């Protein structure tokens, strides 16, 4: 099991950064070989189920997540979302937080705990580095594209 975090500052208002980060199907555009679907009718709220299918052919797997905390930002108040990973292969959680930053910008904090079943702990360092890299690129992509 590994835990990592990312921090970014974006030249966006809070609500726009939140929208870009929590429009779930957009995550599939940001993560290679991944398609994201929302199984629960909108809008997003606690209990919403999201599935990220990653890989190709027989090497694909589902990362099934449930929203357990949904606190959209106010005009000047932070927003926070927590997703519990409940797949057969991937477990853990992810938290997305947006808060006011300097000069009208938005500070984004992404925290994640990953546990990949059947992956020995000897690979934790590689998993943590890969997670930081992949999710860092995804966050950058999501924040840059309307």
């Amino acid at each position: 099991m590994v835990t990592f975090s990312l921090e970014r500052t974006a030249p966006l208002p809070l609500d726009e950064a939140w929208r870009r980060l929590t429009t779930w199907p957009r995550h599939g555009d940001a993560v290679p070989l991944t398609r994201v679907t929302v199984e629960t009718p909108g809008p997003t709220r606690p209990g919403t189920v999201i599935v990220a299918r990653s890989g190709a052919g027989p090497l694909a797997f589902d990362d099934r997540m449930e929203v357990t905390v949904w606190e959209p930002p106010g005009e000047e108040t932070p927003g926070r979302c927590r997703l519990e990973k409940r797949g057969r292969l991937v477990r853990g959680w992810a938290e997305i937080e947006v808060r006011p930053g300097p000069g009208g910008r938005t500070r984004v904090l992404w925290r994640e705990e990953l546990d990949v079943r059947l992956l020995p702990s000897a690979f934790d360092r590689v998993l943590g580095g890969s997670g930081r890299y992949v999710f860092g690129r995804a966050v950058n992509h999501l924040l840059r594209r309307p």
Side-chain angles (χ1 to χ4, degrees):
M1 178 181 334
V2 298
T3 303
F4 60 89
S5 62
L6 312 161
E7 196 169 325
R8 301 289 189 267
T9 302
L12 300 167
L14 280 175
D15 61 340
E16 179 60 14
W18 178 261
R19 183 194 68 78
R20 290 182 187 193
L21 293 167
T22 62
T23 302
W24 307 117
R26 289 172 40 96
H27 286 243
D29 299 334
V31 180
L33 300 173
T34 300
R35 182 175 47 100
V36 178
T37 57
V38 180
E39 292 189 346
T40 311
T44 299
R45 62 191 177 288
T48 295
V49 175
I50 301 152
V51 178
R53 182 153 184 85
S54 298
L59 299 177
F61 65 93
D62 289 340
D63 181 3
R64 186 176 182 82
M65 297 164 270
E66 181 180 341
V67 174
T68 57
V69 174
W70 182 255
E71 300 168 353
E75 199 166 306
E76 289 296 318
T77 58
R80 189 170 75 97
C81 174
R82 182 176 173 102
L83 301 151
E84 295 287 336
K85 296 175 170 284
R86 299 195 170 145
R88 289 188 311 213
L89 183 63
V90 180
R91 298 288 182 135
W93 51 263
E95 287 184 347
I96 303 166
E97 186 176 311
V98 297
R99 56 180 50 250
R105 298 165 65 89
T106 296
R107 279 190 60 228
V108 173
L109 182 58
W110 182 294
R111 292 181 290 266
E112 185 138 356
E113 178 184 275
L114 275 177
D115 181 22
V116 179
R117 287 186 180 187
L118 308 176
L119 189 65
S121 61
F123 290 94
D124 282 357
R125 190 172 185 160
V126 172
L127 180 61
S130 301
R132 251 187 308 283
Y133 177 77
V134 168
F135 288 104
R137 287 181 51 95
V139 168
N140 292 345
H141 177 90
L142 293 167
L143 291 172
R144 286 186 186 133
R145 296 201 171 46

